[in-house]
Amino acid sequence: MTHLGPTLETDRLILRPPRAGDFDGFAELQGDADASRFIGGPVTRAEAWRRFLWQPGAWFVQGFGMFGVIEKKSGLWMGQIGPWKPECWPGNEIGYAFHPRAWGKGYATEAGTAAIDWAFDTLGWDDIIHCIDPGNVASQNVARRLGSTMKGQGKLPPPHQDAVIDIWGQSREQWRRRRA
């Protein structure tokens, strides 16, 4: 298989483009009612497969996409995080979704820091956003820990045009000032 992008490492995690072996964890996340509540709701394994292919496709076509997040200690897939910008998206998003086994361990913040650094340094993005359901307090907390603030409500393109989302974000300058 061709490597679609870089591998990033943090103290506890490996971030890399998705691989076929990540699918079982992804399907579990997508099939779990609580874990998928704010990312479209639970789906069958067959539908999860089609969603799984979005990220390798983004890497292949755009040169970036969400990274699979692997726990170094166990080798398990913990979730996905990274640059996400479909056609007509409201901005340069650093999106994230994590398997329940990763919750409460600080992995989203750790991986998010690496992904944001990469987006600013490699992609040259001037700003980033996170599209968050107003009821998703856990995701809001991750955004806060990453230094983002709520910018206001936003709109997603069809077929998600009726979804209510809050746009959280920050500029590259804000990120660098905070990291210094």
Side-chain angles (χ1 to χ4, degrees), residues 3-174:
H3 292 283
L4 298 172
T7 297
L8 311 177
E9 288 197 35
T10 69
D11 289 342
R12 301 179 296 162
L13 305 169
I14 296 169
L15 284 70
R16 55 156 175 72
R19 297 182 183 163
D22 300 341
F23 177 65
D24 286 337
F26 181 86
E28 290 169 5
L29 165 67
Q30 293 289 316
D32 183 287
D34 287 333
S36 67
R37 187 168 114 205
F38 297 113
I39 55 171
V43 296
T44 66
R45 188 172 169 88
E47 191 171 6
W49 176 251
R50 290 187 291 278
R51 287 184 181 184
F52 180 74
L53 294 177
W54 293 347
Q55 291 309 319
W59 276 103
F60 185 77
V61 173
Q62 294 177 297
F64 63 86
M66 288 197 204
F67 294 95
V69 179
I70 310 302
E71 183 183 55
K72 286 181 180 179
K73 184 177 179 179
S74 68
L76 289 173
W77 184 89
M78 293 290 150
Q80 63 181 21
I81 195 163
W84 179 237
K85 189 160 183 186
E87 180 71 18
C88 300
W89 213 246
N92 298 318
E93 182 165 21
I94 297 295
Y96 43 88
F98 282 82
H99 193 284
R101 67 175 156 241
W103 294 356
K105 296 181 179 180
Y107 287 165
T109 305
E110 185 175 331
T113 299
I116 293 170
D117 278 342
W118 189 80
F120 285 143
D121 296 343
T122 303
L123 300 178
W125 285 2
D126 291 324
D127 54 41
I128 56 107
I129 65 166
H130 316 285
C131 300
I132 302 176
D133 184 290
N136 191 343
V137 175
S139 188
Q140 293 167 12
N141 289 336
V142 170
R144 273 189 200 95
R145 284 192 299 273
L146 290 170
S148 292
T149 58
M150 219 272 263
K151 304 295 183 187
Q153 286 199 326
K155 285 279 227 197
L156 297 177
H160 308 290
Q161 70 274 8
D162 295 330
V164 177
I165 61 158
D166 289 334
I167 303 286
W168 289 68
Q170 63 188 296
S171 69
R172 179 182 2 195
E173 181 181 315
Q174 290 168 319

